[in-house]
Amino acid sequence: MNSTRARNMMAMVQKQSGNIGASLATILFVWAILKDHFPSILNNYIKKHFHKLVRFVSPYIDITFHEQGETFSQNEAFSAIKSYLSTKASSWASSFKADFIKQSKSLILSVDDHEEVIDEFHGVKVWWVLENKQKHSKTQEKMYFKLSFLRRHREFIAGSYIDHVINEGKALALKNRQKRMYTNTPCIDWNNWKIKWNCVYFDHPATFDTLAMESKKKEEIMNDLKKFSEAKEYYAKIGKAWKRGYLLYGPPGTGKSTMIAAMANFLNYDVYDLELTIVKNNRELRSLLNYTSSKSLIVMEDIDCSLNLTGQRQSKSDSESKSNEVTLSGLLNFIDGLCSASGAERIVVFTTNHVDKLDPALIRRGRMDKHIEMSYCCFEAFKVLAKNYLDIDSHELFAEIDSLLAETNMTPADVAENIIPKSREEEDNIADSCLKNLIKALKEVKPVKGEEEERV
């Protein structure tokens, strides 16, 4: 048993120590055989100082890239390295992790734990290994990549090679990007970013083409989003954080959530669905912001219902005494305070059914830069729905529907519900049947002339 252990340790030392390794391995081999005859204190002393000697004379250097950064947030370098090594794993590794990317309809291979991947750049060879360690038995495993290379290549690796890996990895990640939707959870261990946000793949089919809205308004929003996504140098020039606020307001059923999905698909951004009611205080709110990534939409739906944000801001003493609450002041700092500048290329989206109930300070320009009214269904929006649901561009009943929509407040959600076939009999003449259902519903909603005069 001692001989087997010694051979394994000798092989490890030979790999790390080059020409000097043979001599050190011989010493280690002898020590492994005889160590059972030494007192435990002496064994520990020899082991401790032998490892120091190996590190001192070894021609190799190791650099580690942890999954979590120094502030316990996700390390972008780790993600970039993971993407970069996915292109190398198939050539060198014998064990992989595979993930299916729906948009690209292909498998993405990544390095498995403890599996070594060899890379070569401008004639310099390096070794990558994905490792994990547990700081305490009750905590989750923390992953890190270990990069090993010859000491004489230190400047080249620390400069050109690592820059190459990070840039290539980010480009690959963007190419194979699969959008995700994150939701915050009540958190116990706030030192672990993974349990602050739960995530699933974001696969909502909504686009601006299928969004029930006037084409001119959609074009205006798309132009604004495109301009924002390409404005990195502009924001740096004017000295502002690269972020933008959107306020979507209107009655229920007017497509606010669908608009958010269309925005995410248009920009290819992740979505962070922030539920304010389970955030304990302003400190946790700031912490959640720190764990969001670039290229993301941070969404707070029904902001008027989430918190009591309709009154005046509390004084400092009042807010400090209520340390278990998210205050209006805390939310304002979240949007455009110093902590909001910790990331880049992020859009904050508020939705509300009652914009008049919100504190003006919350939705002023500069915080919510663009206000978008999500209104009742107009005829142009109806034609989009007719194309989506019935695959028709025109029909003899369209003129009557146009007239009724001009005099009736019906949401796009209600219009869509009325043009969905309700039975198999309707499928024989689907367009006629569904449009007649809609006309009937519009006539029931539309008040007769006498009722209108009485209400006035």
Side-chain angles (χ1 to χ4, degrees):
M1 180 175 179
N2 287 339
S3 299
T4 302
R5 185 187 305 158
R7 282 195 298 269
N8 291 338
M9 296 179 71
M10 186 169 67
M12 179 188 69
V13 174
Q14 284 177 329
K15 176 183 176 181
Q16 292 184 338
S17 306
N19 296 331
I20 301 174
S23 299
L24 294 175
T26 301
I27 297 173
L28 183 60
F29 178 78
V30 174
W31 171 70
I33 294 175
L34 299 177
K35 72 173 187 173
D36 290 339
H37 301 286
F38 297 157
S40 59
I41 296 178
L42 181 59
N43 276 331
N44 291 337
Y45 181 84
I46 293 173
K47 182 178 179 181
K48 176 182 177 181
H49 289 277
F50 184 81
H51 287 170
K52 287 184 178 179
L53 177 62
V54 169
R55 288 196 297 268
F56 179 75
V57 302
S58 172
Y60 290 90
I61 294 178
D62 294 336
I63 299 178
T64 57
F65 300 85
H66 291 260
E67 186 175 15
Q68 289 185 186
E70 292 183 358
T71 59
F72 300 106
S73 58
Q74 186 178 17
N75 190 347
E76 292 187 3
F78 181 92
S79 300
I81 292 167
K82 183 178 179 181
S83 298
Y84 175 81
L85 293 181
S86 67
T87 62
K88 309 292 181 180
S90 58
S91 301
W92 292 98
S94 58
S95 179
F96 314 101
K97 292 178 182 177
D99 193 14
F100 180 73
I101 305 298
K102 187 171 182 179
Q103 284 90 338
S104 63
K105 298 181 179 180
S106 63
L107 280 175
I108 302 298
L109 299 178
S110 59
V111 183
D112 204 353
D113 297 1
H114 310 295
E115 186 69 23
E116 183 178 78
V117 174
I118 301 173
D119 190 24
E120 188 171 327
F121 184 64
H122 293 326
V124 176
K125 186 177 290 187
V126 299
W127 294 264
W128 289 95
V129 179
L130 177 63
E131 301 281 5
N132 63 65
K133 66 178 180 180
Q134 285 186 303
K135 187 175 181 181
H136 303 290
S137 59
K138 294 182 179 180
T139 60
Q140 295 184 0
E141 291 184 341
K142 297 182 179 180
M143 310 298 296
Y144 64 93
F145 281 107
K146 184 174 72 174
L147 169 63
S148 301
F149 54 91
L150 287 172
R151 188 181 297 271
R152 66 175 180 267
H153 299 311
R154 179 172 184 165
E155 291 187 6
F156 173 77
I157 296 298
S160 301
Y161 176 69
I162 291 179
D163 287 346
H164 163 74
V165 170
I166 300 301
N167 292 333
E168 287 291 315
K170 286 182 177 180
L172 286 167
L174 185 61
K175 178 182 177 181
N176 297 320
R177 181 180 177 86
Q178 184 166 6
K179 294 182 297 298
R180 301 185 184 214
M181 184 176 74
Y182 296 82
T183 55
N184 60 306
T185 58
C187 194
I188 299 174
D189 180 11
W190 282 87
N191 287 333
N192 194 329
W193 70 270
K194 282 186 174 180
I195 59 177
K196 295 177 188 292
W197 295 100
N198 287 332
C199 79
V200 295
Y201 288 126
F202 184 77
D203 197 26
H204 199 292
T207 66
F208 279 100
D209 288 337
T210 61
L211 186 65
M213 179 182 281
E214 304 96 313
S215 57
K216 183 178 180 180
K217 195 171 183 178
K218 287 194 287 187
E219 190 70 26
E220 177 189 339
I221 297 168
M222 286 188 288
N223 288 339
D224 188 79
L225 291 170
K226 190 172 186 298
K227 183 178 179 180
F228 167 79
S229 67
E230 298 173 349
K232 180 179 180 179
E233 293 182 359
Y234 172 76
Y235 278 88
K237 178 182 177 181
I238 63 176
K240 290 185 64 177
W242 190 11
K243 61 181 179 61
R244 190 160 176 80
Y246 274 71
L247 174 68
L248 310 182
Y249 66 96
T254 51
K256 294 184 287 293
S257 296
T258 306
M259 167 66 80
I260 292 169
M263 291 168 66
N265 287 328
F266 180 75
L267 293 171
N268 198 28
Y269 281 11
D270 292 330
V271 176
Y272 286 84
D273 187 7
L274 178 57
E275 177 53 65
L276 287 174
T277 58
I278 62 174
V279 181
K280 292 182 180 179
N281 50 45
N282 295 336
R283 176 177 171 272
E284 287 190 5
L285 184 63
R286 290 193 300 269
S287 182
L288 283 166
L289 176 64
N290 290 335
Y291 297 116
T292 59
S293 63
S294 300
K295 295 184 180 294
S296 61
L297 276 74
I298 304 173
V299 179
M300 285 168 263
E301 294 196 86
D302 298 321
I303 188 69
D304 53 302
C305 301
S306 298
L307 296 171
N308 181 20
L309 301 173
T310 58
Q312 298 298 317
R313 279 171 277 184
Q314 297 173 327
S315 66
K316 184 176 181 181
S317 58
D318 290 339
S319 62
E320 287 176 348
S321 65
K322 298 184 177 181
S323 59
N324 63 333
E325 294 182 3
V326 174
T327 64
L328 175 59
S329 177
L331 189 57
L332 296 180
N333 287 329
F334 176 90
I335 300 170
D336 64 359
L338 289 176
C339 66
S340 69
S342 60
E345 199 172 356
R346 293 187 296 202
I347 293 177
V348 178
V349 183
F350 285 169
T351 73
T352 180
N353 298 332
H354 307 284
V355 67
D356 56 303
K357 292 184 178 181
L358 296 179
D359 190 300
L362 185 65
I363 59 175
R364 68 163 174 79
R365 307 291 176 172
R367 290 193 173 113
M368 293 295 106
D369 304 282
K370 191 167 184 62
H371 295 195
I372 301 174
E373 182 179 7
M374 308 296 291
S375 57
Y376 291 105
C377 191
C378 63
F379 181 64
E380 190 174 358
F382 158 74
K383 289 196 292 183
V384 175
L385 293 172
K387 181 65 176 177
N388 293 344
Y389 287 85
L390 305 175
D391 199 26
I392 57 174
D393 295 305
S394 61
H395 193 277
E396 59 184 11
L397 295 176
F398 272 20
E400 185 176 0
I401 292 172
D402 184 9
S403 177
L404 289 168
L405 285 173
E407 302 173 3
T408 307
N409 287 338
M410 181 176 282
T411 67
D414 288 333
V415 171
E417 181 62 27
N418 279 288
I419 61 175
I420 296 177
K422 301 296 189 298
S423 64
R424 290 186 177 275
E425 289 75 13
E426 290 182 283
E427 294 180 3
D428 295 333
N429 196 359
I430 184 170
D432 283 348
S433 178
C434 291
L435 294 179
K436 287 176 181 178
N437 286 340
L438 176 60
I439 290 173
K440 180 181 177 183
L442 287 168
K443 288 181 177 179
E444 290 174 354
V445 172
K446 176 187 175 185
V448 298
K449 186 174 182 181
E451 290 177 338
E452 287 181 325
E453 292 176 350
E454 184 178 341
R455 290 178 185 178
V456 174

